[in-house]
Amino acid sequence: MATSHSLVIGGTAVPLTLRRSGRAKRLSLRVDTDGDGVTVVLPKRAGEAQGLRFAAAHADWIAKRLAALPPRTPFAPGAEIPVLGRPHALCHRPEARRGVWLEDGA
């Protein structure tokens, strides 16, 4: 079971999830794939307070990783997303398979 917290880094609250794992041997940090926060993986015997202290001790690492993430692109008609290094515009076409089509923007 995961519990939600937040960690203030540079005046900004970063969502922090504590997740327990029976397979984990030590504490670990993971930046969430959506770039919204961080997950601390706890071994069975580690307490939540230990996980929160671990995250706070690695606040600089977290800040660097979050800053290095590419900017988020909204998934909306007209938005440009890179595919294989080239920009493509998203177009909504209900008649197309699954309703989404990429048009070459180059």
Side-chain angles (χ1 to χ4, degrees), residues 16-17 30-31 33 36 38-39 45 47 50 52 56 59 68-69 73 80 86 88 90 99:
L16 181 68
T17 302
R30 290 189 170 87
V31 173
T33 56
D36 282 341
V38 176
T39 298
R45 295 186 176 162
Q50 185 179 0
L52 294 171
L69 291 173
T73 302
E80 283 195 356
R86 294 177 47 200
H88 290 75
L90 288 176

Side-chain angles (χ1 to χ4, degrees), residues 18-101:
L18 297 177
R19 184 177 57 84
R20 207 163 286 288
S21 170
R23 293 178 27 189
K25 301 293 183 203
R26 59 182 174 268
L27 294 160
S28 66
L29 283 170
R30 290 189 170 87
V31 173
D32 296 340
T33 56
D34 58 9
D36 282 341
V38 176
T39 298
V40 178
V41 179
L42 303 169
K44 279 187 174 183
R45 295 186 176 162
E48 283 194 13
Q50 185 179 0
L52 294 171
R53 285 191 305 272
F54 181 74
H58 292 85
D60 289 340
W61 181 89
I62 293 169
K64 286 177 187 174
R65 294 305 180 276
L66 290 174
L69 291 173
R72 295 175 81 175
T73 302
F75 194 75
E80 283 195 356
I81 60 170
V83 177
L84 298 174
R86 294 177 47 200
H88 290 75
L90 288 176
C91 300
H92 181 243
R93 294 199 180 145
E95 74 281 358
R97 185 176 178 159
R98 297 189 180 131
V100 178
W101 192 262

